[in-house]
Structure formats: structure tokens, C-alpha cells
Amino acid sequence: MKNKQITLTFIKPYAFDRREEIFTIIRKAGFDIIQISEPSTLSKAKWEMFYAEHKGKDFFENLVNFMCSGPIIAAILEKENAIEDFRTLIGSTNPANAEKGTIRNLYGNAKMYAQGKPANAIHGSDSVENAQKEIEFLFPGFQVVE
Ligand code: IDP
Ligand code: MG
């Protein structure tokens, strides 16, 4: 096996109804879905923990309120260079800036985002360290099989 890497994603509440289409795009881009969660709505306290690195920022309160407002579906994805390639596939954080054809461009809502609701459709881990932490948070006990 070559240098496979894993990353963590979840479909955010606003895009939850489009999850099948979004997972089709992810598979077509070469990612293997090695774990997928049941749909679940996490508490505000859980989202405050997940997004702890953003505590104190002006968008933090909106972010955690939005995230606990509905279900997400989480997945562990595997591919060579998964972390960087997945960030490229989803596009920039603000859907208004997300490159054409990226998941945040196609399924984010730039208008809502501009009003402070972080409706950018999807999450992708941004580093090896965060991927590990986030996988442990959403898939406790997950073991990487070598
Ligand atoms: P990322 O999701 O692209 O890694 P982060 O900077 O880690 O972006 O921010 C986490 C989430 O917080 C974003 O996905 C988005 O939903 C929300 N967010 C970040 N910056 C802003 C902002 O300036 N306005 C509104 N929401 C934001
Ligand atoms: Mg981030």
C-alpha cells in the first residue's frame, strides 16, 4: 500500500439533505469511505469542545448554535494525501470564495454565511494532528488498521 492517509469529514446541518450527492462527489474524487456514522444531532457542549480552537472568536457562538441545530453525518475518508486533497475538494471556508465546482461552492449558502450562519456545507480536517483528534472525538476507539 502506498502512503494512504485518513481524514475526517462531516456534512453540516444545512447540507444534510444533500448528503447522498455530496458523498457521490467524494467517492468519485477517489476517497474511500472507511467509516460512516449514523445521522446524529450533537449537543452545543459537544460542538463547543469540537471547535474549542475558535473559542472567543466573533463567529463562535453562531457556529456552535448552528451546528447543534440539526443532524450531521460524519465519515472517515482514506486516500493518498487525503487531508490536503480533501481540503482542495471542499474549497475555501467562505462559500463566496470557494473555487467553482468545489463542495462548498456547490452546496454552501453564501448569503446565509454572510449573515453569520456558517452554512458552508462540510468539514474537512486541516492537519494530521487535527484529523487524529477529530476522528477520536467522533469515532471514539477507532483503530487504524495497517
Ligand atoms: P474550516 O472549516 O475551513 O477549517 P475554520 O477557520 O476552522 O474553517 O472555521 C471553522 C468553521 O467556523 C468554518 O467551517 C465555518 O463554518 C465557521 N467560520 C469560520 N470563520 C467564519 C467567519 O468568518 N464567519 C462565519 N463563520 C465562520
Ligand atoms: Mg478548521
Side-chain angles (χ1 to χ4, degrees):
M1 201 188 277
K2 280 205 187 156
N3 290 321
K4 293 257 181 176
Q5 196 177 48
I6 55 175
T7 191
L8 186 278
T9 188
F10 48 79
I11 312 289
K12 297 187 181 184
Y14 173 77
F16 182 78
D17 291 344
R18 314 292 297 275
R19 62 192 178 282
E20 294 303 335
E21 292 161 62
I22 295 172
F23 278 115
T24 298
I25 292 172
I26 292 170
R27 275 193 214 93
K28 279 195 181 147
F31 294 85
D32 291 328
I33 298 166
I34 58 172
Q35 291 272 310
I36 190 156
S37 75
E38 292 296 321
S40 66
T41 303
L42 275 55
S43 67
K44 185 170 175 178
K46 271 237 160 190
W47 285 116
E48 284 171 350
M49 268 185 261
F50 185 88
Y51 282 119
E53 66 175 307
H54 296 303
K55 204 167 177 181
K57 295 185 185 165
D58 54 359
F59 62 83
F60 184 73
E61 196 59 21
N62 275 344
L63 173 63
V64 294
N65 283 331
F66 178 79
M67 289 305 304
C68 67
S69 71
I72 62 146
I73 186 158
I76 302 173
L77 307 175
E78 187 177 57
K79 186 184 170 298
E80 271 171 54
N81 203 36
I83 293 169
E84 195 187 336
D85 287 358
F86 194 69
R87 294 284 297 194
T88 302
L89 183 69
I90 67 178
S92 297
T93 304
N94 182 340
N97 302 332
E99 301 66 17
K100 207 164 187 289
T102 60
I103 294 173
R104 284 170 164 173
N105 166 250
L106 293 170
Y107 297 98
N109 185 319
K111 219 175 197 171
M112 283 173 72
Y113 195 92
Q115 292 164 353
K117 295 210 164 130
N120 61 353
I122 193 163
H123 174 81
S125 305
D126 64 0
S127 64
V128 173
E129 195 193 349
N130 279 338
Q132 294 288 342
K133 269 199 259 178
E134 293 171 0
I135 287 168
E136 180 56 33
F137 190 88
L138 289 170
F139 294 90
F142 176 80
Q143 297 283 337
V144 184
V145 181
E146 296 289 335

